[in-house]
Amino acid sequence: MAQRLEHDLYKTAPDCGSYKNPETLKQRLKEVSIKIQRLLQQHKHAQVQLIKHGQNLTQGYNGEWQSDRSYLSDRHKMIKMIFDLIKASKPNATKHWLNKLPRMTRYLEFNLFRTAPDFESYNNSITVRQRLQQIATNMYMKKHQQHHHEHVEQVQQSQDEV
């Protein structure tokens, strides 16, 4: 959290001198605070929308085994394994891409965890690459279908207007 705050303070400074200037700190803290409040409101709104549409935030687990907290250290190992696999697959990655990698890794691990029928399937290092590819394919298909649906709605709207 502190690193994120420091990063946001750095980003709001127009130059290095302003970043190091304690006189501009108060204003930059205010800007970051507003940004955080906006993000919290968006998050709260998203949660309300999910609940309103009958979706539980923990919905989608593929069994009861995921509720056991004793798997936390195994999940950290899986996150590291996924991180290393993805990073090795893109040796010339940009700094921007590498900054996004930890978040992407956690998202992928969560999907592996959520969809696995049992711990043994989740923790199977032999099939992890294949399962990650399946998640990526599903994400692509979902995004493609969403764009197609939005396009169809736009076409229908323009036809209705005519």
Side-chain angles (χ1 to χ4, degrees), residues 17-64:
S18 297
Y19 170 70
K20 293 179 179 180
N21 185 345
E23 293 174 11
T24 64
L25 181 61
K26 186 175 181 178
Q27 179 60 33
R28 287 183 290 126
L29 278 171
K30 184 177 178 181
E31 291 170 15
V32 170
S33 173
I34 291 169
K35 178 182 174 185
I36 290 170
Q37 287 173 350
R38 204 173 321 124
L39 288 171
L40 287 172
Q41 287 172 344
Q42 289 172 351
H43 179 70
K44 190 174 186 176
H45 177 73
Q47 286 180 323
V48 167
Q49 291 302 314
L50 286 171
I51 292 168
K52 190 185 275 187
H53 296 295
Q55 296 174 338
N56 185 337
L57 297 176
T58 59
Q59 181 180 9
Y61 282 136
N62 200 15
E64 292 294 317

Side-chain angles (χ1 to χ4, degrees), residues 71-147:
Y71 297 120
L72 285 177
S73 66
D74 296 298
R75 291 188 70 184
H76 288 293
K77 290 175 190 171
M78 180 62 75
I79 289 169
K80 172 120 176 65
M81 182 190 310
I82 294 168
F83 183 92
D84 292 342
L85 277 171
I86 296 173
K87 189 173 179 186
S89 73
K90 203 161 182 158
N92 298 325
T94 64
K95 185 177 180 180
H96 176 72
W97 187 86
L98 289 172
N99 287 339
K100 291 168 58 173
L101 185 56
R103 186 174 184 185
M104 184 180 4
T105 301
R106 288 189 302 272
Y107 176 82
L108 290 168
E109 183 279 333
F110 175 75
N111 276 283
L112 288 179
F113 183 75
R114 182 180 60 82
T115 58
D118 53 46
F119 175 73
E120 290 73 24
S121 300
Y122 163 79
N123 206 39
N124 187 337
S125 60
I126 296 170
T127 63
V128 71
R129 186 181 300 268
Q130 176 187 357
R131 291 180 289 135
L132 289 169
Q133 288 172 337
Q134 185 61 51
I135 289 170
T137 301
N138 292 346
M139 287 170 49
Y140 172 80
M141 294 302 290
K142 186 176 179 179
K143 186 175 183 178
H144 181 71
Q145 287 172 348
Q146 182 179 358
H147 285 305

